[in-house]
């Protein structure tokens, strides 16, 4: 496609990168009325990763909204030809997932249940039925299969051509051979892009530069932890037994995906450990190029493939295609506005689902640019979810090969990455090592999941290896005194003459409380959805300390900064790493603080905080609890944390880990961001109306007022399972009779009630207190009873202020 001569000096939106993400974003911008949007591609359209994609489109993802993005793609890809006259090559032949061991069978059955929940057609079929759909397959070791008829594949180049045609017909322009060489920002906002053909002023930029996105975003001072790996598929010449198009065959136990290609076979792999690539080594002219074949690396996969498809032993090999694809530290992509720079939008790091997701993701990114917010919650793709420590070449190149390998691994509960660990140690790290902690990585931190680890846990969908240790820790907090390390809370100091007015505007609760009060609140978007839930300690007339979720710090700081008016006298300081937080919880804690010389803590009222001296450590303690046992969260300087811990431990308090905390939070029906709460859920649906100050004028109030007088359509309930051997994990369908009426959002064994417990979002008018429901756990209905209250609510440990 030749570049047009009339190179603009202004465009409201500049899309950088002409792969599927850029083309889809441009198309949707034009559809949403941004008809002067332009796309700049340094080589030719699709010349990066998109052109050689296997381009399979499988709808099911781990959340409803991620799945909806792909379902959107599927309808777009099947309809674009009618709109543009350009075929997309959409072929709808379905997909088949096979299981060759019992744990995989549970995994694919869980996926089948999830599909039911998300409205995706998927059903279990027998091995014989699977063989009918893929007669070339050796099914000797196949235990079962799940069939998804709506899946398919597309031609990536044709798809992009159709998107571009649709965009151009609405006024958008495309310039090839036009590298973006610089991004200008001013006062934290994008202003222009620099190219080899001149500078273009703009209001917004979409970075859709695939594996080059880390470098592209760096031009605007933005961290994008994206790094490429080599990705292989084998192509054969035509083989007997392939006629026409066939379903995609997913043999994830063998790390393989398989489909027909021009009468032959295409066999791709996500091998257990990928090969990272330095993107700088590819060169700027890397266009329609491939990487070298690596038969030695592929050989174990070839063996797996020959086992599954004996016909491969005689098939003539066309090539071993090796193309680069970008991956991120957690295996999910980046979609949305960057924290650091306003007007800089990211649609990149697609982790091998760029073609499947591209249609929907481009739509969502365009909506974000046009409306200022994503059309629905996408917190798992939020670019602000990464700490700065991830944007490090050493960490990225160590992590992404494992991420590639995890793509097809069974998602056992408690699964952790083993590469790029030990990035950030918490103040009590050494003390926790002494206590034989098993660590998990969250936001780069090493957090203690449980203690007294005896060996590396074996992961399973059954009773977890750590069941007894977590039980001991819960009992500790319930019967004695436990110490929880909560230092990963983000901590934001808000100071200034206008701090109160500012927070009262951005938070839904009444922030005008007196110094010494703690305030549980949320920050809402204009739809009333919860952007963050947090606890604020009012320190004095002009200062507050906000405690936000571990992964929320970057997002919340960006949100606060964006809502600060130019004339407001407010300063925001990130104090996260300066302070540690130790939760001391349990019935023996009053005696412990007494013995530690801080008996006056016992006179602190609920949701009150003050400064104390414990064993020579200056502590700000607040009387509240996230676990449903009376206690305090104690903040001290990070350097003093170990001294404080040892003083409390000397009086008999013992550590408890994150898994114990989670189990207790679920029993106590405390809600957690990313589980029960997200940007689609408002405080009324979440039962957090008590934390809304109707007499304040806060962001999101209009939306809440509109919803206030009608019963929310969904409500959060507790489900206590009848059978203590049930293993709910969250994200399972809740059934009333045959009908799906909701889904579990968090689940754990509740040690204080002796039964598994789940929190669930259910249809409010269908599910009442006392109702008997079933939860579909990997195809097995497990009975439980519904309550509108906490499964466990010990007297004397009220979380809410009186
Ligand atoms: C072998 C293989 C098989 C795959 N199979 C599947 C599959 O079955 N299903 C699926 O969904 N996904 C699959 N993928 C992944 C999918 O192809 C990618 O996720 C997707 O193509 C990425 O698209 P993109 O637009 O983000 O990046 P790209 O297609 O790489 O586009 C980025 C563009 O940005 C341009 N660019 C970079 N820097 C600049 C600059 N400074 N100025 C201007 N332009 C710039 C580049 O030239 C490039 O054209 C596969 C990938 C590989 C490698």
């Amino acid at each position: 496609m030749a570049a047009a001569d009339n190179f603009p000096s202004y465009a409201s939106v500049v899309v950088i990168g002409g792969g599927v993400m850029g083309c889809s974003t441009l198309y949707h911008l034009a559809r949403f009325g941004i008809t002067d949007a332009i796309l700049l591609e340094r080589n030719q359209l699709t010349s990066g990763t998109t052109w050689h994609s296997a381009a399979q489109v499988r709808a099911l993802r781990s959340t409803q909204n991620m799945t909806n993005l792909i379902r959107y793609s599927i309808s777009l890809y099947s309809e674009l030809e009618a709109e543009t006259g350009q075929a997309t090559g959409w072929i709808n032949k379905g997909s088949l997932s096979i299981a060759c061991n019992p744990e995989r069978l549970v995994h694919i059955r869980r996926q089948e249940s999830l599909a039911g929940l998300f409205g995706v057609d998927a059903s279990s079929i027998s091995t014989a039925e699977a063989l009918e759909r893929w007669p070339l397959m050796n099914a000797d070791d196949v235990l079962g299969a799940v069939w998804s008829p709506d899946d398919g594949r597309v031609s990536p180049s044709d798809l992009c051509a159709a998107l571009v045609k649709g965009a151009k017909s609405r006024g958008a322009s495309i310039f090839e051979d036009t590298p973006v060489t610089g991004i200008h920002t001013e006062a934290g906002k994008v202003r222009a892009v620099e190219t080899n053909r001149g500078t273009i002023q703009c209001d917004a930029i979409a970075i859709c530069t695939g594996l080059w996105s880390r470098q592209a975003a760096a031009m605007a001072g933005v961290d994008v932890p994206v790094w490429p790996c080599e990705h292989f598929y084998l192509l054969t010449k035509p083989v007997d037994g392939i006629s026409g198009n066939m379903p995609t065959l997913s043999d994830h136990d063998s790390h393989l995906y398989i489909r027909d290609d021009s009468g032959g076979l295409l066999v791709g792999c996500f091998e257990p450990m990928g090969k990272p690539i330095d993107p700088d080594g590819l060169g700027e002219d890397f266009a329609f190029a491939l990487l070298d074949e690596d038969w030695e690396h592929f050989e174990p996969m070839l063996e797996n493939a020959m086992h599954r498809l004996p016909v491969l032993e005689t098939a003539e090999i066309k090539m071993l295609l090796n193309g680069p694809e970008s991956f991120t530290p957690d295996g999910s992509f980046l979609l949305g506005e960057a924290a650091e720079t306003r007007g800089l939008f990211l649609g990149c790091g697609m982790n091998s689902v760029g073609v499947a997701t591209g249609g929907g993701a481009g739509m969502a990114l365009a909506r974000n640019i046009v409306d200022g917010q994503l059309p629905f919650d996408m917190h798992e793709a939020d670019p602000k979810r990464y700490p700065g420590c991830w944007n490090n070449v050493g960490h990225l190149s160590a992590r992404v090969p494992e991420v590639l390998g995890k793509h097809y691994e069974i998602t056992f509960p408690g699964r952790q990455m083993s590469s790029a660990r030990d990035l950030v140690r918490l103040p009590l790290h050494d003390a926790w090592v002494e206590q034989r902690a098993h660590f998990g990585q969250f936001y780069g931190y090493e957090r203690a999941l449980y203690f007294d680890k005896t060996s590396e846990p074996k992961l399973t969908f059954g009773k977890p290896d750590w069941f007894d240790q977590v039980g001991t820790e819960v009992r500790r907090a319930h019967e004695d005194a436990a110490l929880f390390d909560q230092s990963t809370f983000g901590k934001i100091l808000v100071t200034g003459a206008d701090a109160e007015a500012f927070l009262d505007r951005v938070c839904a609760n009444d922030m005008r409380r007196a110094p010494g009060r703690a305030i549980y609140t949320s920050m809402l978007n204009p739809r009333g959805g919860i952007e963050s839930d947090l606890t604020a300690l009012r320190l004095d007339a002009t200062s507050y300390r906000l405690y936000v979720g571990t992964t929320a710090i970057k997002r919340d700081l960006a949100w606060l900064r964006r809502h600060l008016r130019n004339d407001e006298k407010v300063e925001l300081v990130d104090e996260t790493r300066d302070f540690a937080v130790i939760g001391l919880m349990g019935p023996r804690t009053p005696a412990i603080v007494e013995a530690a010389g801080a008996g006056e803590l016992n006179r602190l009222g609920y949701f009150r905080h003050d400064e104390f001296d414990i064993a020579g450590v200056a502590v700000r303690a607040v009387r509240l609890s996230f676990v449903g046992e009376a206690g305090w969260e104690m903040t001290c300087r990070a350097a003093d944390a170990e001294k404080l811990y040892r003083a409390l431990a000397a009086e008999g308090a013992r550590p408890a880990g994150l898994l114990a905390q989670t189990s207790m939070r679920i029993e106590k029906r405390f809600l957690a961001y990313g589980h029960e709460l997200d940007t689609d859920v408002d405080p009324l649906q979440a039962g957090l109306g008590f934390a809304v100050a109707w007499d304040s004028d806060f962001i999101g109030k209009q939306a809440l007022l509109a919803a206030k007088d009608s019963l929310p359509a969904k409500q959060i309930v507790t489900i206590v399972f009848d059978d203590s051997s049930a293993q709910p994990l969250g994200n399972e369908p809740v059934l009333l009779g045959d009908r799906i009426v909701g889904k579990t959002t968090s689940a754990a064994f509740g040690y204080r009630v002796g039964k598994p417990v789940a929190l669930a979002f259910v249809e409010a008018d269908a599910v009442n207190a006392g109702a008997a429901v079933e939860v579909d756990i990997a195809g097995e209905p497990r009975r439980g009873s519904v309550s509108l209250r906490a499964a466990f609510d010990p007297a004397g440990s009220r979380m809410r202020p009186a």
Side-chain angles (χ1 to χ4, degrees), residues 16-22 40-57 178-181 208-212 216 219 231-233 257 286 321-326 347-357:
I16 312 177
V20 65
M21 277 305 299
L40 305 177
E41 163 56 50
R42 73 171 167 206
N43 294 307
Q44 279 83 56
L45 291 178
T46 74
S47 64
T49 294
T50 297
W51 71 277
H52 55 67
S53 176
Q56 287 147 167
V57 182
T178 308
V180 172
T181 52
C208 299
T209 43
L211 66 93
W212 297 276
M219 294 192 274
H231 180 38
F232 300 88
Y233 61 71
Y257 61 87
F286 186 87
L321 182 141
N322 181 5
E325 166 64 343
S326 54
C348 55
M350 299 311 291
N351 285 274
S352 277
V353 293
V355 173
T357 316

Side-chain angles (χ1 to χ4, degrees), residues 60-62 103-118 122 124 146 410-413 460-462 726-733 744 747 775-780:
L60 188 63
R61 298 291 127 189
S62 59
E103 297 281 26
R104 176 72 65 182
L105 202 55
V106 174
H107 176 88
I108 66 172
R109 295 255 156 88
R110 284 190 66 86
Q111 291 195 312
E112 181 189 355
S113 304
L114 207 58
L117 186 60
F118 297 164
S124 283
V146 169
I410 297 173
T411 48
F412 286 119
T460 166
F461 285 115
Q727 298 290 342
L729 301 174
N731 231 0
E732 294 109 350
T744 57
V775 175
D776 174 346
I777 303 177
E780 299 274 328

